[in-house]
Amino acid sequence: MGVVLSENIGYIVLIGVGLIMALSVTLMVKAETKWLGTRKTSEWFYTAGRTIKTGLIASSIVSAWTWAATLLQSSTVTYAFGLGGSFWYAAGASIQVILFAILALELKRKAPMTHTFPEMIYVRFGKHSHKVFLFFALMTNTIVTAMLVLGGAAVINSLTGVDTTLAAFLIPIGIILYTIFGGLKATFFAEYLNATLIFVVVLVFVTVIYFATPEIGGISGMYEKLTQASILNPVEGNAFGTYLTLASVGALIFGIINIVGNFGTVFVDQSYWQRAIASRPKAATGGFILGGLTWFAIPFTLATTLGLAAIATGVTLTENEIGLGLVAPTAASNLMGDFGAILLLTIIFTAVTAAGSSQLVSVSSLVTYDVFRTYLKPSSSGRELIRISRFTILGFGIGMGLLASLLFHSGFSLQYVYLMMGVLIGSAVAPISFAILWKKTNKYAATSAAIIGLVCGVLSWLWSANSMFGEITLSSTGNLIPLLIGNVVSITISLGITLIGSMIKSENFDFHIMKQKILVVDDKIRSMLKHDTDEELLQRSLKFCKRAGFSISVFLVIVWPASFYLTKFVFDEQSFHLWIWLALVWAFGAAGIIIFLPLIEARKSISEIFHKATMDSDVMRQSDYSPSPGDYSPVMKILVPIDGSARSLKALYHASYLFRGAAKVRIYLLHVIEWTDENEENIDEELVSQIQEEGKLILRSVVVPKQINDYKRIVKLGDPAKKIAELADNLKVDMIIMGKKGMGKSTSDLGHVTQKLLKLTSKPIVLLG
């Protein structure tokens, strides 16, 4: 296909949209930390404070599970197999997220304070098993990241002509920026914005193509064109060779590969465990089940639109272009021109950046907690952990581009990587799942199962490719049958070894050990977890989750498709209309949940941010007064730091004498409790609260002269000079009055706080000896 957009548009999307996303997310994180008082500790960086609610978890899952492959590969398999392709892509990749809700709840029950799933493996199985599953975790993140960037770079190149290698290196820039700054919380914000944009664009595509595109002619026109295409180019393996059926051998084989492979990319991907860890216990069930059901609408609706449109309009692509996922971009540009191409390009780019951000945080958490803190420096502080994580994010972010470029130049397509990933990571699914689900799981059986499953999966994949085609090449190993064999062998061999080995020599692990050995340093979060973890509620949620999860999964991948497959049902025009309207209703309903539920759940926080944004937020926090309208009126404002020394009290009396009788003067009494780093993770919240109360008592004990009618008392925690300078700027004071020295033992004429303050502020300062 030819380039349909100018190269400049490619760079605008790569750099402009990336920076806009980074700026938007950074501002959202800044608003939370500034106006909601959130401390940026390592616990916050990796787990978002473990307070994420149902709506944001669901939107995060939708975004994280919407890869470039979701938007591209779903249309590719629909282009190849018809309606069966779009269905099996959606159904075959929804059930893993829905079933993962069971693991999420078990995690909340048995290891609520864990940071990564290998950390849990370390406590359960020991360091040797930990290293094995850490390898699988890092390999999963690497494969997923490679697919994200590879798909994004290929589409940007095909639509705009921007060099693929350059695109692969430019894509991670925005991701690195906001992830380094905001950690997992920034990822959640980015994913919400991305999920919202994706649903809006999907609804635009389906509405325009089915109801406003003359070349298609509406739903009836699409049906007629697909019927004609089935006659001209019948699909081998489909019932009657038609595109209008779910009875497709090729689609079924793809569906099985899709199911098996995606169990690995959910159950072995740290990013999904990280969402379970970050969610509130009450939000885990609804978040994952809603996430899976709403995500279903994206590939199902988009592929039923663009994939079918490509067939209906006679789009012709080379095998290489199909492998790179260019069916959807071609259909979009043919039917909607530059507008359609830009829309698809934008959501692919934002999908890559949002999902890539979660991969960066996942890799950094694995390196930080499972490598650095476990093996290199167990006593590391929160500040050290954040520093290591930021170096990891930077390094892996750059490596994303390098890996994608290597794959591209080696001839690996998006389709190839997507279908073979289950062979490499599927063997870890059963051992990891049973480690948290079953107390009898034997560590030797589970660990050897992962290794043996991997080896058997790869060997069976390569052997079957060689047996069928007489050679081992990218072409032969990329065939569906060898890939099916490799995927199934990898996961089933591992499952069998884990079960049989554990039954032969059962363990009796006490899951309470995980609560004893995996601890959260942050006292506030530790207290919140103890308060929030209701065992009775979690048991009820777990029962519901098992019933709902298995019922939905059986319906999606057995009952629903079997009723169409076994009867070799072919859609007539009326049933095709119903099918398209089902996709439409599902998409609109899912969009409503993903867009509005997080806003409804966060309405109090949003309201508080808007309210405090109109005031001086720095004064609001940790002070013992509420701002009055006079705080913002044109009055003379004087800041008097009080440390309890005679000189500081003299400064207060000097201020009262200097401005005696003045009607429009406000004096702020500030007491700063000296602390080296108020953002340090190891601060105990109860201790901080006690210290602040002591500070308030000190200020209340100061007798304010009667001449002063308008005054406010403020207590802050941190470096005294910095806090005085910050408050002076935030309050827009006209003058600072203080002693030359405080209670320190400085030998010079000026105390160390005074000397430092003179360098930090340009406000007029009156110093008293």
Side-chain angles (χ1 to χ4, degrees), residues 728-759:
D729 289 335
N730 291 332
L731 289 172
K732 297 180 174 59
V733 301
D734 301 285
M735 184 183 301
I736 302 172
I737 300 179
M738 62 187 295
K740 288 184 178 180
K741 295 182 180 180
M743 299 187 73
K745 298 180 180 180
S746 175
T747 56
S748 64
D749 290 338
L750 300 178
H752 71 281
V753 173
T754 306
Q755 293 179 49
K756 190 173 181 179
L757 179 62
L758 289 170
K759 298 176 182 178

Side-chain angles (χ1 to χ4, degrees), residues 637-649:
K637 298 177 183 179
I638 311 299
L639 178 62
V640 181
I642 302 290
D643 66 351
S645 66
R647 290 184 180 88
S648 66
L649 296 175

Side-chain angles (χ1 to χ4, degrees), residues 80-84 223 226-231 233-248 311 568-571:
F81 306 118
L83 290 176
Y223 178 80
L226 292 175
T227 303
Q228 188 66 29
S230 300
I231 296 170
N233 299 295
V235 184
E236 185 180 353
N238 279 23
F240 308 105
T242 181
Y243 289 102
L244 295 163
T245 183
L246 267 62
S248 167
I311 300 168
K568 295 189 176 181
F569 180 82
V570 176
F571 286 80

Side-chain angles (χ1 to χ4, degrees), residues 91 117 197 201 253 256 258 355 373 403 444 467 547 613 723 725:
F117 81 81
L197 177 63
V201 172
I253 293 173
I256 296 171
N258 201 31
R373 199 176 76 165
L403 179 60
Y444 299 108
S467 298
R547 288 197 300 268
K723 290 299 174 183

Side-chain angles (χ1 to χ4, degrees), residues 314-327:
V315 166
T316 303
L317 296 170
T318 66
E319 188 174 334
N320 182 55
E321 289 172 333
I322 293 171
L324 289 173
L326 302 184
V327 171

Side-chain angles (χ1 to χ4, degrees), residues 66-89:
T66 304
W67 305 342
T70 307
L71 303 170
L72 302 175
Q73 186 68 9
S74 57
S75 291
T76 300
V77 292
T78 304
Y79 180 75
F81 306 118
L83 290 176
S86 60
F87 173 82
W88 276 113
Y89 193 102

